[in-house]
């Protein structure tokens, strides 16, 4: 069942804000190309959107940051799997118009064990709300040009 009227900004804000004590919080953000990948450990609490809403900057204390041009993302998907250590893996994938991964957000196991059950419940509620790939409209930001 497709979810209509969903924006990537809304999804990111929902992940950041959470509910009932569960939110993304401690994450690993992965950027990937055909030749390289990079992983950044961060708290998912400082998301900054440009005034036109096209670009989100994910901030890490100390100055590291990543930009995501949301106008280039055509699909988002919540993925729940088991990792190679037999532990649950909670992921948000964002793909470009060709279906290539642009950015992935993985929930890390929290250093504060008491927060892990609410985070699990929150993620599972997102998976129930968005049970498959979420198509994102191509015209949400108008004619986007250049790199963020």
């Amino acid at each position: 069942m497709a979810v209509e009227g969903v924006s990537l900004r809304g999804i990111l804000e929902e992940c950041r804000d959470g509910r009932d004590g569960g939110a993304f919080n401690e994450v690993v953000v992965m950027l990937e190309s055909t030749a390289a990948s990079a992983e950044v450990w961060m708290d998912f609490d400082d998301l900054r959107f440009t005034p036109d809403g096209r670009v989100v900057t994910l901030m890490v204390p100390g100055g590291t940051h990543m930009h995501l041009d949301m106008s280039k993302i055509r699909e988002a998907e919540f993925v729940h799997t088991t990792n190679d250590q037999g532990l649950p893996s909670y992921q948000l994938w964002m793909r470009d118009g060709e279906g290539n991964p642009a950015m992935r957000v993985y929930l890390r196991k929290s250093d504060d064990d008491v927060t892990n059950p609410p985070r699990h419940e929150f993620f599972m509620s997102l998976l129930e709300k968005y049970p498959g790939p979420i198509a994102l409209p191509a015209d949400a930001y108008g004619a986007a040009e250049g790199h963020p």
Side-chain angles (χ1 to χ4, degrees):
M1 179 169 112
V3 178
E4 304 227 0
V6 177
S7 70
L8 184 55
R9 179 178 180 153
I11 291 169
L12 294 173
E13 289 174 332
E14 185 174 9
C15 292
R16 176 197 63 203
D17 298 343
R19 67 178 162 272
D20 300 328
F24 269 38
N25 309 108
E26 300 158 90
V27 300
V28 176
V29 176
M30 176 186 260
L31 301 175
E32 184 178 1
S33 75
T34 57
S37 67
E39 294 181 359
V40 177
W41 290 51
M42 63 183 292
D43 292 330
F44 204 71
D45 58 357
D46 193 355
L47 305 179
R48 301 179 187 182
F49 298 91
T50 56
D52 65 1
R54 179 182 151 218
V55 175
V56 61
T57 302
L58 295 83
M59 300 297 297
V60 179
T64 298
H65 59 279
M66 295 170 282
H67 302 286
L68 176 65
D69 182 344
M70 295 185 294
S71 72
K72 305 259 191 312
I73 304 301
R74 297 281 72 77
E75 185 178 88
E77 183 175 12
F78 290 95
V79 177
H80 181 242
T81 62
T82 303
N83 67 20
D84 57 358
Q85 299 168 343
L87 299 171
S89 179
Y90 309 96
Q91 310 158 33
L92 169 62
W93 286 41
M94 291 163 266
R95 298 180 185 97
D96 66 16
E98 281 85 50
N100 300 312
M103 181 180 280
R104 300 179 197 175
V105 181
Y106 294 84
L107 273 68
R108 291 190 287 121
K109 182 178 180 197
S110 178
D111 294 331
D112 182 5
D113 285 335
V114 77
T115 66
N116 287 318
R119 293 171 75 218
H120 167 82
E121 293 302 320
F122 174 61
F123 186 87
M124 297 311 283
S125 73
L126 291 171
L127 197 56
E128 185 175 319
K129 181 177 180 179
Y130 306 107
I134 305 158
L136 301 167
D139 60 353
Y141 304 96
E145 297 294 328
H147 195 276

